[in-house]
Amino acid sequence: MAGAVQDWVKSAVLPNGLAVITLDRPKALNAMNADMTALYKKFLDEWENDSKVRAVLVESSSSRAFSAGMDVKWVAAAVQEDANTSVVPTVFNNEYKLICKIARYQKPYISLMDGVTMGFGIGLSGHGRFRVVTEKTMLAMPENGIGLFPDVGFAHIAARSPGNGSVGAYMAMTGTRVTNPADALYVGLGTHFVPTDKLASLQEALRNHKSLENAWEAVEEVLAGHHVTPESEPSLKALLPAITACFGANLSVEDTIKALKEHEQSADSSVAEWAKGALAGLAKGAPFSLSLTKLHYATVALAAAEDHVPADSPENDIAEIEGVMKTEFRLGVRTSTRPDFIEGVRAVLIDKDQKPKWQPPTVEDVATPDVVAIFEKFENPEDELKVPAPTT
């Protein structure tokens, strides 16, 4: 396994001070396992304290995908064999510590999000300072469809999306795919749009830049020189009133479904079509996961509001990425051992019959106390995620 991990997560430090991570597991669309994640973080830890490293570039060896996310089939198999497997806490521990590292990284961190960028792929890129999308970028958080929930700190990103977090909540709850570069920039997942025919030039410019001493300025300059304004307006911007009306933080899942059904009857064909697609997306999600997602994303969105009162300790503040990840660690460990996860992986990724039997089967059957219990701290404090307090 060690040899495979070194082959799948490659690193290099170039003479000009650019450190490069190349994800090279193309057959699995760069799906990440625990060992790959640990190695990735090891590189970032070393480079952050290495004066020879000025900036970090993360790329894929394949144009098909940046990363399709976590290797969920492997995790589901481990859970099915042993519900108390150490694989679950290890996987989420490695992922979430890496996300906190990326979010607080002290050097320019550039992600080339070309191709499929889903789930943990967004975790690896969406929290970094420079996020490059192309016309081939496909962004999605489809975890509700396999009985988990959209994690990797996407709630933190979503809370800062347009409509007081409504656009991000819409993406999370429906699993919708964002393929328009203008929409990727609008949501906040991308900072720069670089067409694929300019991507090689961008990579070469970064790799051969002669003056990375002032790395932040140099990276900004290179990216600005390759950035192109998308030809189209973001479609999500035109739909913002409808999205806000259906996915506001104050709405329950039942409220959202009701609002979508009303918008499905809109005289505006684009709104009606959008509502129909959103309902279809919700229909794919596990009812328990949808309820959990709604509560989590609403809580984080409200914490991100201007009138939020910070917690005593930043790492315990749900408005900060550390607080979000500590919460999501509890959610991840607990949802991955519920029957819905194994059933979702079976229906979507293994048998592919797309007919999961969820427990409970409908949103109306979800008991609120059961959802709230998923958020509670572990009985043993040692089981909680340990992340450093932010220094910035």
Side-chain angles (χ1 to χ4, degrees):
M1 175 63 74
V5 171
Q6 297 286 349
D7 291 337
W8 292 339
V9 182
K10 299 176 178 177
S11 72
V13 177
L14 306 184
N16 70 344
L18 181 71
V20 182
I21 290 178
T22 304
L23 301 179
D24 190 15
R25 195 187 180 190
K27 289 183 179 179
L29 300 182
N30 293 331
M32 302 284 289
N33 62 32
D35 290 336
M36 293 169 68
T37 304
L39 181 59
Y40 193 120
K41 184 173 183 294
K42 177 175 176 287
F43 292 143
L44 293 187
D45 287 341
E46 292 174 353
W47 293 339
E48 194 165 34
N49 298 312
D50 186 344
S51 61
K52 296 189 296 294
V53 173
R54 306 285 187 174
V56 175
L57 172 68
V58 186
E59 60 188 17
S60 169
S61 65
S62 166
S63 61
R64 288 184 61 204
F66 174 73
S67 173
M70 178 176 71
D71 192 342
V72 291
K73 286 196 286 187
W74 170 67
V75 177
V79 172
Q80 196 159 20
E81 185 175 327
D82 176 9
N84 297 313
T85 177
S86 63
V87 165
V88 167
T90 298
V91 164
F92 289 115
N93 180 75
N94 288 3
E95 282 193 12
Y96 296 174
K97 284 184 176 178
L98 174 55
I99 287 167
C100 290
K101 169 63 68 174
I102 292 169
R104 301 290 184 179
Y105 211 59
Q106 299 297 303
K107 298 179 180 181
Y109 179 96
I110 313 120
S111 306
L112 303 186
M113 305 155 69
D114 192 29
V116 175
T117 306
M118 296 166 54
F120 191 31
I122 287 180
L124 295 175
S125 54
H127 298 283
R129 173 61 184 84
F130 301 105
R131 308 178 296 277
V132 177
V133 297
T134 74
E135 74 276 12
K136 294 182 180 179
T137 301
M138 190 279 283
L139 301 158
M141 293 296 297
E143 288 80 1
N144 282 328
I146 56 170
L148 287 177
F149 75 102
D151 62 335
V152 301
F154 187 65
H156 183 76
I157 297 170
R160 290 151 182 81
S161 68
N164 295 319
S166 298
V167 173
Y170 154 64
M171 282 187 64
M173 292 187 69
T174 63
T176 190
R177 297 182 172 188
V178 170
T179 57
N180 180 350
D183 282 327
L185 299 178
Y186 180 67
V187 174
L189 284 168
T191 57
H192 297 80
F193 167 48
V194 178
T196 51
D197 60 5
K198 296 184 69 173
L199 207 53
S201 172
L202 170 62
Q203 290 167 295
E204 184 179 351
L206 290 169
R207 289 170 178 269
N208 296 325
H209 200 287
K210 298 189 185 304
S211 57
L212 282 180
E213 285 79 7
N214 190 341
W216 291 99
E217 184 178 311
V219 170
E220 288 269 17
E221 183 180 330
V222 170
L223 289 173
H226 289 79
H227 171 75
V228 173
T229 301
E231 294 181 0
S232 63
E233 287 291 312
S235 60
L236 294 174
K237 185 176 182 180
L239 291 165
L240 184 59
I243 294 174
T244 303
C246 296
F247 290 91
N250 61 318
L251 302 176
S252 67
V253 180
E254 293 93 331
D255 291 337
T256 290
I257 293 172
K258 180 182 178 182
L260 284 170
K261 287 181 177 178
E262 291 174 357
H263 280 75
E264 201 176 12
Q265 306 306 315
S266 172
D268 185 331
S269 60
S270 63
V271 170
E273 183 180 353
W274 166 81
K276 181 180 180 180
L279 284 167
L282 288 175
K284 294 179 181 179
F288 190 90
S289 295
L290 290 173
S291 300
L292 183 148
T293 299
K294 185 63 197 178
L295 177 57
H296 179 46
Y297 276 62
T299 302
V300 177
L302 291 172
E306 291 182 1
D307 58 353
H308 167 70
V309 178
D312 292 337
S313 178
E315 68 268 27
N316 292 323
D317 189 344
I318 199 71
E320 302 286 349
I321 187 61
E322 291 82 7
V324 172
M325 299 323 305
K326 291 178 81 168
T327 298
E328 292 193 356
F329 184 73
R330 300 174 200 127
L331 306 185
V333 167
R334 287 170 173 148
T335 56
S336 60
T337 53
R338 294 187 73 257
D340 280 349
F341 174 47
I342 291 174
E343 173 62 4
V345 171
R346 179 206 65 77
V348 176
L349 300 175
I350 299 176
D351 296 342
K352 300 182 180 179
D353 58 25
Q354 311 301 325
K355 295 180 180 179
K357 293 180 172 59
W358 301 124
Q359 299 180 33
T362 70
V363 171
E364 290 76 17
D365 292 326
V366 176
T368 299
D370 292 344
V371 175
V372 173
I374 300 290
F375 289 79
E376 293 176 359
K377 291 185 178 181
F378 294 117
E379 186 175 338
N380 183 355
E382 289 304 309
D383 292 336
E384 297 286 336
L385 180 70
K386 307 294 191 301
V387 293
T391 57
T392 58

